[in-house]
Amino acid sequence: MSAVSRFAPSPTGFLHIGGARTALFSYLVAKRLGGKFLLRIEDTDRERSTQEAVDAIFEGMAWLGLKSDFAPVYQTQRFDRYREVIAQMLAAGTAYHCYCTREELDAMRAEQQARKEKPRYDGRWRPEAGKTLPPIPDGVPPVVRFRNPVEGDVILDDLIKGPITFANHELDDLIIARADGVPTYNFCVVVDDWDMGITHVIRGDDHVNNTPRQINILKALGAALPQYAHVSMILGADGAKLSKRHGALGVMEYRTMGFMPEALLNYLVRLGWSHGDQELFTRDEMIALFDLSKVSSSAARFDMEKAYWVNHQYLKVTDPAVIEPEFDWHLRRLGVDPANGPALQDVILAQRERCRTLAEMAEKSLFLYADLQGYNEKDAAKHLTDEGQRLLAELRAELQLVADWSTPALHKAVNRFAEVRGLGLGKVAQPIRVAVVGMAVSPPIDQTLALLGRERTLARLDAAVAWARPRAQA
RNA sequence: GCUCCUAUCGUCUAGAGGCCUAGGACGGGGCCCUCUCAAGGCCUAAACCCGGGUUCGAAUCCCGGUAGGAGCGCCA
C-alpha cells in the first residue's frame, strides 16, 4: 500500500507557522515514501469556517510550494457519506441515540467537577444487555454517540512520541452526530482518513487525546489503522503559546518580512527535527533525509534571529533568477518600478551578502530605482563637508571621462583618483556614497556606481556638490 | 481535579550506558581582514531540572518530585 498523508486545517484563519510546519512534515513523509500528499479542509463548523480562510490557506501552501497531489477535499461535501456510515453503525450497535439535553449534560459535568472527577458522559442512554433505557422524551432530537469499549487499553504507537497507552474506561461515549444530524470532527476525521486511504496522520499534539477514540471508531468500522505522528507545538520567542493575540503570524507575513519560501521551510524543518549537525537542506535533501523518529517531542520556540540567518544563507547561494520574482514583488511593494533601474539580478548579486531579508534588500536598493529623499543627516554632516564637496566636484569631472561605465573601469578611476591625491580609498568612497546613495552604506563603491549608471551618478554628484557648497561657505 | 505529553548552553539541537573534559548552529563577546555595511577567518563565555535507584560505569535506563504544556464540548 502506498503512503498517503494529509494536511487537514480547519479554515478559521490564515495558515500560521505551526500549521505550515505540520504541513511540511506531512508533505515530506509522503514524498519520502514516494507517496501522495493531500489537503483536506475541515469545515464542518459552519459558524467559524470562512471562504477567506480557505483562500488564505491555499495561498500560503502555494507560496511555500507544498503542492497537494489531489484536488482538496471539503468535509462539508461529504455529509452523505458520513450519514451512511452513521446509519451502519447504528444498525451494527456500535453507535446509539442519546436524548440528553444540553442542560442535562451541563449539570452532569458540573456535578462531576464538583466531585473532582474528569467530566464525561455517564452512559445513561447506552444500551446494555439487561438494562432498561429511560423513556424517550418528547421533542428532544437525539444525538448519536459512539459506543466506546469499556474494557482494555488502546495503545497508540506514535511515530514521534513512542507508545502511549490509554485505558478505555477513561474514554466516554463521544457524540458523532449532532441533534441536527451534522457529524462531528472526531467522526469525520476517521471516515475521511479511512476513505482516502491515509496511511500517515501527522498533526499537532493537541490531538493526542483524541486519537484513542478515533482508533476505537476505526476498529468498530473494521478499518485499517493509519500510523500516527503528533508534532509538538511552536512557541513564541518568549516561550508563550502562539495565538492571534500573541505573535502568531500568517505564513504570508513572512513573505512580507522578506523570507524566501524555501528558507522558511528550511528553518521550520529544523525546528524539532535534526540530521546530525546539518543546518541547511535543499528540498530534495529534506525529502531524502526527513525522518519522523528523529523529530523532537517537546515544544520549540520560534527564533527570529536564526530564521533570518537561514534566509540569509539562501539569499547568498540561490540562483538570482529564482530570487528575482520575489525581489520584484518587494520592490513594487515599496512603490517603485523595477524597470526604472538596473537589472534585478545584478542588484541581487551586489546586495545579497549584506541583506538578511528581501525586504531589507529592496529598501537598500531603493536608491537605484527612485530619486533620493534627502541625505542621512549624520552621514551628510560627516562626509558632505567642505573638503568632501571639493573632492566630489573634482571626481565628477574625472568620472565624466570614463567611457566604459563598468565596475572594473570605475574601480580603476576611483582608485586612481584617491591615489593621485594621496588619500585612502575610504576618504573618497564615503563622500561618494552619501552623494549617490543618500547614506554611508552600500555595496562596494565601484559596483554601486556601475549599478546606478552614468547619468544618475553624475547628476547626484552635482546635486551633492550643490547641496554642500553653500553650507561650507556659511 | 482527572488523563496524556514534555524537560541538554539565552534559542534550535547532537547524544540510542563507556567515544562527553557534553558536540554543532543561531545569538553574544573578542581579534583579524576591510572604501562603508556586510561577508569571511580565528578565538571565547554559555547547558545535562531536582532527588533516589539499576549498573563496574548514566545526559542516556527505572521510580519519585518539581516545573511547563495539552486534552477533558452537540469546536476543530
Side-chain angles (χ1 to χ4, degrees):
Chain A
M1 183 172 57
S2 93
V4 185
S5 71
R6 83 310 197 265
F7 176 55
S10 56
T12 56
F14 45 56
L15 176 63
H16 57 85
I17 209 71
R21 184 176 62 150
T22 304
L24 172 62
F25 285 7
S26 292
Y27 172 89
L28 292 176
V29 164
K31 297 300 157 187
R32 166 102 197 253
L33 270 21
K36 306 290 188 191
F37 168 69
L38 67 89
L39 189 58
R40 184 170 74 219
I41 303 296
E42 312 224 313
D43 54 356
T44 53
D45 183 355
R46 324 289 265 277
E47 308 266 299
R48 298 198 298 155
S49 301
T50 64
Q51 187 57 44
E52 293 75 65
V54 172
D55 294 341
I57 289 166
F58 287 159
E59 185 186 30
M61 295 289 284
W63 183 68
L64 289 173
L66 298 178
K67 273 212 241 3
S68 171
D69 291 304
F70 304 102
V73 174
Y74 293 82
Q75 288 189 325
T76 43
Q77 293 175 1
R78 290 176 41 80
F79 281 160
D80 290 346
R81 171 60 177 155
Y82 302 141
R83 270 191 263 275
E84 178 189 356
V85 178
I86 286 168
Q88 277 171 24
M89 291 176 73
L90 248 12
T94 53
Y96 60 91
H97 289 294
C98 165
Y99 293 84
C100 284
T101 61
R102 288 171 199 256
E103 291 70 33
E104 278 178 83
L105 259 16
D106 289 344
M108 192 188 301
R109 270 192 284 271
E111 272 176 49
Q112 288 162 332
Q113 270 167 345
R115 268 182 273 132
K116 300 204 186 294
E117 283 169 18
K118 179 176 180 170
R120 61 218 297 238
Y121 178 63
D122 65 4
R124 61 182 68 169
W125 288 92
R126 175 182 170 114
E128 301 286 4
K131 170 180 169 186
T132 359
L133 263 19
I136 293 176
D138 286 337
V140 178
V143 300
V144 179
R145 286 186 184 270
F146 172 62
R147 197 169 191 281
N148 195 78
V150 285
E151 311 261 292
D153 294 329
V154 180
I155 295 169
L156 157 62
D157 197 4
D158 195 274
L159 261 16
I160 292 174
K161 293 177 182 289
I164 305 173
T165 305
F166 299 87
N168 269 323
H169 66 78
E170 289 289 340
L171 275 21
D172 64 358
D173 291 351
L174 76 158
I175 291 173
I176 58 177
R178 300 169 172 92
D180 63 4
V182 178
T184 60
Y185 166 77
N186 276 295
F187 177 74
C188 298
V189 167
V190 163
V191 176
D192 288 341
D193 286 341
W194 180 29
D195 286 354
M196 295 167 195
I198 302 295
T199 57
H200 297 258
V201 173
I202 295 152
R203 70 214 327 187
D205 73 355
D206 47 336
H207 289 285
V208 170
N209 290 294
N210 288 327
T211 308
R213 305 167 189 280
Q214 294 180 9
I215 289 177
N216 281 336
I217 296 176
L218 246 9
K219 283 181 177 164
L221 256 17
L225 299 180
Q227 293 202 275
Y228 292 93
H230 288 94
V231 183
S232 62
M233 44 182 230
I234 298 178
L235 273 19
D238 57 0
K241 185 184 176 174
L242 246 24
S243 64
K244 312 119 254 206
R245 176 84 197 74
H246 183 81
L249 296 177
V251 157
M252 298 313 282
E253 305 222 35
Y254 289 87
R255 180 189 202 192
T256 305
M257 283 188 265
F259 281 92
M260 291 283 293
E262 298 281 338
L264 222 212
L265 252 21
N266 193 142
Y267 175 72
L268 252 18
V269 82
R270 275 288 288 111
L271 210 51
W273 174 73
S274 61
H275 180 255
D277 288 338
Q278 190 170 349
E279 297 286 351
L280 273 6
F281 300 85
T282 63
R283 183 175 297 231
D284 286 344
E285 283 178 312
M286 287 186 206
I287 291 170
L289 301 170
F290 186 73
D291 178 0
L292 282 172
S293 74
K294 299 283 283 180
V295 172
S296 162
S297 48
S298 55
R301 299 187 194 206
F302 191 94
D303 181 7
M304 214 21 133
E305 288 302 319
K306 183 144 184 189
Y308 280 141
W309 177 79
V310 173
N311 197 52
H312 193 188
Q313 300 309 305
Y314 270 77
L315 290 180
K316 284 197 297 181
V317 301
T318 303
D319 182 345
V322 173
I323 300 175
E324 186 174 6
E326 282 293 303
F327 183 46
D328 182 275
W329 184 85
H330 278 90
L331 282 174
R332 289 178 195 281
R333 212 180 150 264
L334 292 181
V336 305
D337 179 0
N340 187 32
L344 263 31
Q345 294 194 27
D346 292 340
V347 179
I348 291 166
L349 255 11
Q351 296 280 38
R352 52 169 31 171
E353 218 159 70
R354 66 206 85 245
C355 301
R356 299 201 298 176
T357 68
L358 286 166
E360 191 186 344
M361 189 184 288
E363 209 159 303
K364 286 182 171 170
S365 304
L366 235 34
F367 75 97
L368 295 167
Y369 298 91
D371 290 338
L372 255 33
Q373 304 293 313
Y375 303 109
N376 174 285
E377 210 174 307
K378 271 179 69 181
D379 292 341
K382 186 166 179 191
H383 300 293
L384 295 186
T385 57
D386 187 26
E387 187 202 357
Q389 169 264 124
R390 273 197 307 271
L391 234 38
L392 289 178
E394 289 174 38
L395 179 87
R396 194 249 186 248
E398 288 199 27
L399 286 185
Q400 192 165 20
L401 271 26
V402 175
D404 164 34
W405 198 265
S406 66
T407 300
L410 290 162
H411 182 82
K412 224 190 283 174
V414 176
N415 276 275
R416 187 176 324 118
F417 180 85
E419 217 171 290
V420 166
R421 282 160 185 70
L423 296 170
L425 191 52
K427 272 289 188 197
V428 179
Q430 288 303 75
I432 305 177
R433 249 192 197 96
V434 178
V436 305
V437 180
M439 60 181 187
V441 176
S442 85
I445 201 65
D446 48 358
Q447 286 183 41
T448 301
L449 299 183
L451 285 171
L452 228 207
R454 179 194 184 93
E455 231 172 281
R456 271 180 168 154
T457 299
L458 298 179
R460 285 187 191 180
L461 289 175
D462 286 339
V465 170
W467 183 88
R469 184 172 294 147
R471 279 157 223 265
Q473 287 164 349

